[in-house]
Amino acid sequence: MIIECQKLWKVYGDGGAAFGNEDRSVQERIELAEKAGAYVALADIDIGVERGETLVVMGLSGSGKSTLLRCLTRLIEPTSGEVRYEGRPITNLPRTELLALRRQHMSMVFQNFALLPHRTVLGNVELPLEIQKQDARSRRAAALEMIELVGLKSKEDHYPHELSGGQQQRVGIARSLCSNPSLWLLDEPFSALDPLIRREMQDEVLRLQSSLAKAVIFVTHDFEEAARVGDRIAILRRGRLVQCGTAEELVSNPVDDYVRAFTAEVDRGRVFKVERFMERGEPQAADRLVPMNTSLKDVSRIFAEGANVLAFSDDKHQTVGFMRREKLGEALAAAEFGGPF
Ligand SMILES: Nc1ncnc2c1ncn2[C@@H]1O[C@H](COP(=O)(O)OP(=O)(O)OP(=O)(O)O)[C@@H](O)[C@H]1O
Ligand SMILES: [Mg+2]
């Protein structure tokens, strides 16, 4: 694990004594703390992210998402519990070491872009390296490379106000990646962007993640976005982790109505993989071989392009299943309404 926490609590105000009693259940401890006048922003959170993995954090406003991100980097000090970076506890790391760790290995993208208005694109992107005291030439080279990677080549000398929202957020992304962090935190990075640009930026994150393989934690309110960018989705409710799993697990097996409400509007054809609907075995003949983790929606697009039989492969490229065009309707109905598959 790049980053993980155990029994992480953040309690504001008095009430520390009350929540610290481990003989009681988590719910009892929350109630005790709140009776004593405290506010429990995070209660007993266990979570971790590996290299190359994207964890999405969701939850209603005030449920503790930003607090969790900030406690993991100790931008906010946890009240209790342990945080480990690459297996090493950082909960008691001295200030100077913590700052060095953050500068070298962690970075964050903010919802409001948080660019410096009087610095150019280049000046903004190279800032983290300037803080690390890298020499001007090497930080310039690194910054230009990141600017190109996020598709802003030729905009280096522009100022933030000369850019669109999407371009500004690309600068924020380039800046956050410039120091080559292992842990990449994005706190509602795209909520200020319109849906089309938002989708483009999601693709951007997917593309960057597939080549850079960071440990990513991504906060969003939008389940569709979560399903697209996340390997796993963690749902917070009033500081508690209520469920953590793949989008498909949350949609098909929500633990309660709170989780169900998050997944209610989602396009199930996009979330469900064809794996759960295909017939097992090898077809006699197939028009195309497609990975079995392809969404049902993409499979229907391929059928619409004229295929009659599709074969599906596992991650070792072995054919493990197939579907005939006639079965697609049933599969789509089962995805939407539940059914015999
Ligand atoms: N310094 C503080 N003192 C007391 N309560 C606080 C403090 N900082 C945050 N909180 C409370 O902690 C809770 C969690 O806040 P947090 O910012 O983590 O929510 P969030 O899930 O990120 O919400 P949003 O979706 O609106 O960004 C909120 O109810 C907030 O009021
Ligand atoms: Mg927040």
Side-chain angles (χ1 to χ4, degrees):
M1 292 281 175
I2 294 289
I3 195 98
E4 66 198 302
C5 64
Q6 267 169 350
K7 296 181 188 286
L8 189 73
W9 288 74
K10 180 66 197 178
V11 181
Y12 287 109
D14 296 330
F19 92 88
N21 183 350
E22 295 205 13
D23 292 339
R24 295 180 181 265
S25 74
V26 172
Q27 193 52 40
E28 282 173 333
R29 290 161 69 193
I30 295 172
E31 283 163 15
L32 279 172
E34 291 186 343
K35 252 191 223 143
Y39 182 83
V40 180
L42 293 176
D44 208 55
I45 305 282
D46 285 7
I47 210 156
V49 196
E50 293 181 63
R51 189 182 306 282
E53 186 190 27
T54 302
L55 174 76
V56 170
V57 180
M58 294 192 74
L60 292 181
S61 183
S63 58
K65 306 179 296 293
S66 299
T67 307
L68 176 60
L69 251 58
R70 286 162 187 272
C71 281
L72 290 175
T73 55
R74 284 185 56 204
L75 282 168
I76 293 177
E77 288 294 347
T79 310
S80 80
E82 183 152 276
V83 180
R84 282 193 292 270
Y85 179 79
E86 290 194 325
R88 196 162 66 105
I90 61 164
T91 334
N92 294 312
L93 211 60
R95 197 91 213 139
T96 46
E97 283 179 51
L98 178 67
L99 282 177
L101 177 77
R102 259 199 230 127
R103 272 178 200 159
Q104 281 164 21
H105 300 292
M106 304 173 171
S107 73
M108 186 127 145
V109 179
F110 300 91
Q111 173 171 5
N112 55 3
F113 316 150
L115 302 178
L116 299 176
H118 302 298
R119 279 185 168 229
T120 61
V121 168
L122 182 62
N124 268 284
V125 174
E126 69 178 359
L127 184 67
L129 300 178
E130 206 173 306
I131 293 170
Q132 283 183 16
K133 301 206 169 29
Q134 274 199 21
D135 67 88
R137 190 199 291 213
S138 71
R139 70 180 190 237
R140 194 188 160 92
L144 286 173
E145 200 179 306
M146 286 319 305
I147 290 168
E148 185 166 356
L149 195 62
V150 300
L152 286 181
K153 199 170 169 14
S154 83
K155 298 273 185 203
E156 301 84 57
D157 298 324
H158 285 58
Y159 286 88
H161 74 268
E162 300 171 317
L163 304 175
S164 71
Q167 288 168 335
Q168 289 184 41
Q169 193 54 303
R170 279 170 203 270
V171 177
I173 286 177
R175 179 179 60 188
S176 70
L177 291 173
C178 195
S179 56
N180 193 22
S182 307
L183 177 61
W184 193 27
L185 305 171
L186 301 99
D187 194 353
E188 299 194 44
F190 307 143
S191 44
L193 306 175
D194 66 61
L196 266 180
I197 308 284
R198 197 168 170 142
R199 196 151 251 275
E200 231 173 68
M201 298 299 289
Q202 292 161 4
D203 288 338
E204 191 74 17
V205 165
L206 286 169
R207 187 178 66 80
L208 289 168
Q209 174 66 339
S210 72
S211 64
L212 305 175
K214 312 287 184 195
V216 181
I217 308 183
F218 188 111
V219 175
T220 179
H221 274 112
D222 175 358
F223 193 85
E224 201 90 47
E225 179 165 88
R228 249 167 89 84
V229 303
D231 297 306
R232 282 183 303 144
I233 301 170
I235 310 247
L236 288 183
R237 179 191 191 190
R238 293 211 232 126
R240 296 195 64 178
L241 180 59
V242 282
Q243 192 169 7
C244 184
T246 63
E248 201 165 348
E249 282 163 4
L250 298 188
V251 170
S252 51
N253 265 321
V255 293
D256 62 14
D257 287 343
Y258 181 79
V259 176
R260 191 171 290 117
F262 274 100
T263 63
E265 295 299 314
V266 74
D267 179 347
R268 286 154 180 261
R270 240 191 254 290
V271 168
F272 285 127
K273 314 292 181 215
V274 72
E275 182 183 356
R276 71 162 64 205
F277 304 102
M278 69 190 186
E279 289 181 58
R280 306 277 149 180
E282 279 201 48
Q284 289 183 335
D287 298 310
R288 268 178 72 178
L289 182 65
V290 180
M292 67 180 181
N293 64 3
T294 305
S295 73
L296 201 55
K297 190 101 179 180
D298 286 337
V299 165
S300 35
R301 191 176 40 75
I302 297 169
F303 277 123
E305 286 164 6
N308 284 313
V309 183
L310 293 179
F312 302 112
S313 58
D314 61 13
D315 48 10
K316 295 177 196 76
H317 307 287
Q318 300 295 316
T319 299
V320 288
F322 63 96
M323 185 184 280
R324 290 179 220 289
R325 177 203 274 275
E326 310 85 81
K327 284 282 179 186
L328 177 66
E330 252 175 76
L332 285 169
E336 203 57 42
F337 305 109
F341 280 94

